[in-house]
Amino acid sequence: MTPNFRSMVSLAALGAALAACSPVTDEAAEPATVVAPPSRADLAPGLFDAGTAIWNLELTASMRPPEGFFDYDTAMIPLGVPGQADDDTEDADEVPQAETVETAEADDADTADDVEAENSGPGLLSFANSDLAFTGDRVIMGGFHGFNVYDAANPDSPEHILSVVCPGGQGDVSVHGNLVFFSTEQNRGRLDCGNGGVEGDSSPERFLGVRIFDISDLNAPRQVAAVQTCRGSHTHTLVPHPTDDRTAYIYVQGTNSPRPDSELAGCSGGEPDENPETALYSIDIIEVPLDAPEQAAIINRPRIFTDYETGEIAGLWAGGALEDGAQTSSSTVACHDITVYPEMGLAGGACGGNGILLDITDPVNPRRISDLADPNMAYWHSATFSNDASKIIFTDEWGGGLGARCQPDDPQDWGADLVADIVDGELQRRGFFKIPGEQSAIENCVAHNGNIIPVPGRDIMVQAWYSGGLSIIDFTDSNNPYEIAFFDRGPLGPDALRVGGYWATYWHNGRIWAPEIARGLDVFRLQASPMLTASEIAAAELIHFDEANTQTQLHVTWPDEPVVAMAYLDQIERAEALDPASISGVRAAIQAWSSGQVDGDVLAAAVGTLGDAADASGVPADVHRLTELGAMLARIQ
């Protein structure tokens, strides 16, 4: 059966309920040993045998690229050689990227993860792995050469089950049932998925846009639709219809220069004051009848950067530094990523020189309700909401992923995460986070893709930093995000900067999935620590989704289970929001519940204690945890 968007939610809830049967364990009550984070510096280079540093995580699986999706010579192409150091590195940075883009006409390749967007042939990223999507027991990994599917029924031992060759980058993927949606943006992309590339400036053989594959028969996957767009598809976002579960929309984020009208009718470029029909300053919206995907077509190109007071289409940042000494920010002519949060009616857009907040209650006509610019941000790259949509993390892809931007002398707020609160529908800047500057001159490193780890009572995100590895941060206090776990691996090889590391890292059904640009797919499991207890991890592992797409954020609701209660209590104890005697009393009540010996009087006393503490606390996070725990215990009395 093909699940629909509504059944996804119900399946998630059912999965959570079924998984929530495990009682609180003794481990949950025992404090973990404090272990200082290891250094990330000077990790040994190596393609598949590099040195590693790991903190509060366990690497449970590493899958090398399948046959036909790896080429040693391509993976080891050098970008810069320390020693000739600065000059070569600067040359690498002159590959089209965010910080060099100031005008719409120059916006021909906005970031470095689309470095080959204008190339017609294979090269640096020809076999690079990119993003992920999840359906059932399957993990789908996109890439510049096509996509691969893994059976992850045993998440710590995934099995490769399908490869689809379809070159054209960057291969971002999403999924619904047996339909795989696949982005193509390079001029070498062929309509027939062939390997030969496409000659000439205009050709009917060229394909740039979003493909739709049917993989219901793993022995015979079929391309059932290919929707051409003027600027290709650097990324895309699957958006559910609010009432019709047999219809979906795709927001297409194209960052290439507009194609010629001779190749695709209706395409043109230029500034809107000279060409009001320009394909810049908009996104494409594709409508997909899920029962007839071959009928998918563009139905709108909303001008989401418009100044609503003046009507000016180019209504946001025009490019350049916001102030003396600031980053040179890109112009806002396109979005790199749009993360939709359908249950909140919101979307966060990372759009060159701005982060934006969209009202998507009418998904065909999204409307910008707030925007933000910042002198530290070179290229607003991606966006992730907190579960309650009270805050959002924007990442800055300074240097576009090709630069070594995590060295000791690099500014800590450049190429970092910016946390913004959402207050009465307005984005308000708060704190920054960036991994420590311990990376070398031969490790490409900057903030990249990630998602939320569903720990109740906290806002936690796992995120990729290219060759800087993966990092897990707590941003509950939006002014003071901090790291609680990480994994880092040495560079691909010695002596030269090469493009490697994690394209993304995502939490899904109890594991962290990490597509490595050159090395394949890694899987991690959280380990308990004073930063994150066993109960907090177990509460996160209760949450299961039957289907998940990384730019379509899903809302999490935790079940009333002892381990969830204990997770809240661990946080209350960590924050010293209750005295030790009260902690012991509440813990005893939860343990009695876990063992099936619910005592109404004991629970009532615990509820009263928690309520009094919430009334007395002036710390919002503590008030939230005390209130949530008290309410849960009251419900089970």
Side-chain angles (χ1 to χ4, degrees):
M1 181 184 75
T2 300
N4 56 43
F5 285 106
R6 299 295 170 262
S7 68
M8 286 164 52
V9 176
S10 61
L11 285 170
L14 177 61
L18 292 174
C21 298
S22 57
V24 172
T25 65
D26 292 340
E27 183 182 5
E30 296 176 356
T33 303
V34 176
V35 177
S39 172
R40 297 163 156 104
D42 302 322
L43 298 177
L47 182 57
F48 294 115
D49 58 353
T52 62
I54 191 165
W55 185 49
N56 298 334
L57 286 167
E58 176 189 5
L59 175 62
T60 64
S62 290
M63 301 287 293
R64 294 188 183 185
E67 185 177 355
F69 280 74
F70 175 78
D71 178 76
Y72 178 85
D73 292 338
T74 300
M76 301 303 283
I77 292 174
L79 277 176
V81 179
Q84 302 166 353
D86 294 340
D87 289 344
D88 282 358
T89 300
E90 288 304 314
D91 288 343
D93 288 347
E94 290 177 9
V95 176
Q97 59 180 291
E99 61 191 324
T100 63
V101 176
E102 295 185 5
T103 69
E105 291 300 328
D107 186 40
D108 54 358
D110 290 348
T111 68
D113 55 21
D114 61 351
V115 63
E116 293 182 322
E118 293 300 296
N119 294 350
S120 59
L124 180 66
L125 296 173
S126 294
F127 297 95
N129 302 306
S130 59
D131 227 323
L132 299 179
F134 306 89
T135 180
D137 288 333
R138 295 174 179 174
V139 178
I140 302 168
M141 181 165 70
F144 285 68
H145 192 59
F147 64 91
N148 289 282
V149 182
Y150 297 85
D151 183 330
N154 179 354
D156 300 322
S157 184
E159 180 183 356
H160 175 255
I161 56 174
L162 174 66
S163 288
V164 173
V165 174
C166 193
Q170 67 177 14
D172 274 20
V173 288
S174 58
V175 65
H176 183 70
N178 288 313
L179 298 179
V180 174
F181 304 87
F182 185 73
S183 286
T184 301
E185 66 168 355
Q186 294 179 320
N187 282 334
R188 66 181 173 123
R190 294 182 55 86
L191 189 59
D192 62 3
C193 285
N195 261 315
V198 181
E199 300 292 334
D201 295 333
S202 180
S203 170
E205 297 177 339
R206 178 170 289 124
F207 177 78
L208 305 174
V210 176
R211 306 177 191 268
I212 305 175
F213 291 90
D214 184 333
I215 61 166
S216 54
D217 183 352
L218 292 179
N219 294 314
R222 296 181 299 124
Q223 180 176 261
V224 295
V227 183
Q228 300 265 17
T229 64
C230 289
R231 304 186 67 188
S233 176
H234 188 59
T235 69
H236 71 263
T237 309
L238 194 63
V239 187
H241 190 288
T243 58
D244 179 4
D245 59 18
R246 302 316 305 157
T247 297
Y249 301 108
I250 301 173
Y251 290 177
V252 184
Q253 291 76 245
T255 57
N256 283 354
S257 296
R259 302 162 72 177
D261 179 79
S262 57
E263 182 168 273
L264 185 61
C267 294
S268 61
E271 291 296 323
D273 55 350
E274 298 177 349
N275 176 21
E277 302 303 318
T278 180
L280 303 173
Y281 301 99
S282 62
I283 62 172
D284 297 310
I285 299 180
I286 297 172
E287 183 178 79
V288 184
L290 293 170
D291 297 323
E294 67 279 3
Q295 297 176 14
I298 294 174
I299 59 169
N300 196 12
R301 294 190 175 94
R303 299 292 195 184
I304 58 175
F305 311 132
T306 296
D307 183 322
Y308 294 127
E309 293 185 1
T310 66
E312 182 182 0
I313 292 173
L316 294 181
W317 186 242
L322 275 83
E323 59 187 42
D324 289 344
Q327 283 270 30
T328 301
S329 297
S330 299
S331 58
T332 302
V333 300
C335 288
H336 184 281
D337 278 10
I338 293 179
T339 297
V340 297
Y341 200 168
E343 293 193 66
M344 300 295 178
L346 295 172
C351 307
N354 293 94
I356 66 174
L357 186 65
L358 298 168
D359 180 337
I360 60 164
T361 50
D362 177 1
V364 178
N365 297 288
R367 182 176 176 84
R368 192 182 78 256
I369 56 177
S370 184
D371 52 78
L372 196 62
D374 190 273
N376 296 291
M377 302 289 278
Y379 189 77
W380 297 68
H381 178 275
S382 55
T384 304
F385 288 93
S386 60
N387 189 58
D388 64 358
S390 66
K391 54 182 78 85
I392 186 168
I393 286 185
F394 291 102
T395 67
D396 172 26
E397 199 181 38
W398 170 39
L402 294 178
R405 302 303 198 196
C406 304
Q407 299 183 75
D409 293 335
D410 288 329
Q412 193 62 21
D413 291 345
W414 290 19
D417 298 333
L418 181 155
V419 186
D421 282 349
I422 301 173
V423 181
D424 297 328
E426 294 287 331
L427 294 170
Q428 297 183 2
R429 191 191 87 170
R430 296 293 185 258
F432 286 87
F433 171 80
K434 185 177 182 180
I435 63 172
E438 296 182 289
Q439 303 295 307
S440 69
I442 61 172
E443 293 173 285
N444 58 312
C445 177
V446 75
H448 214 225
N449 299 335
N451 73 347
I452 295 297
I453 297 177
V455 176
R458 299 173 72 177
D459 295 317
I460 294 178
M461 176 175 175
V462 59
Q463 177 183 5
W465 292 79
Y466 288 111
S467 289
L470 73 84
S471 176
I472 299 175
I473 63 170
D474 182 314
F475 64 105
T476 308
D477 178 354
S478 52
N479 285 302
N480 297 289
Y482 62 95
E483 187 170 61
I484 62 174
F486 71 79
F487 173 81
D488 193 9
R489 183 183 274 135
L492 287 171
D495 305 328
L497 176 67
R498 297 176 172 86
V499 180
Y502 291 128
W503 187 275
T505 58
Y506 298 115
W507 174 273
H508 179 69
N509 292 355
R511 296 292 186 275
I512 293 166
W513 302 86
E516 221 279 0
I517 290 174
R519 294 164 168 131
L521 177 65
D522 289 337
V523 186
F524 294 87
R525 187 169 189 180
L526 291 168
Q527 287 201 324
S529 75
M531 317 290 278
L532 192 67
T533 66
S535 291
E536 291 177 294
I537 295 170
E541 290 178 346
L542 291 178
I543 305 303
H544 280 232
F545 290 107
D546 187 66
E547 197 165 279
N549 293 296
T550 52
Q551 290 191 57
T552 308
Q553 192 155 335
L554 301 172
H555 186 252
V556 174
T557 301
W558 291 269
D560 288 346
E561 288 292 331
V563 74
V564 177
M566 201 63 81
Y568 283 122
L569 187 63
D570 287 349
Q571 295 161 17
I572 292 166
E573 184 175 29
R574 184 186 295 120
E576 299 181 352
L578 271 182
D579 62 81
S582 296
I583 290 287
S584 296
V586 176
R587 191 179 301 280
I590 297 171
Q591 288 172 333
W593 171 25
S594 178
S595 62
Q597 300 174 348
V598 175
D599 185 321
D601 292 338
V602 172
L603 284 174
V607 171
T609 297
L610 294 164
D612 292 343
D615 291 341
S617 175
V619 180
D622 292 342
V623 171
H624 172 73
R625 293 159 183 158
L626 291 160
T627 301
E628 288 294 317
L629 178 53
M632 185 186 302
L633 298 184
R635 286 193 294 270
I636 64 166
Q637 277 184 253

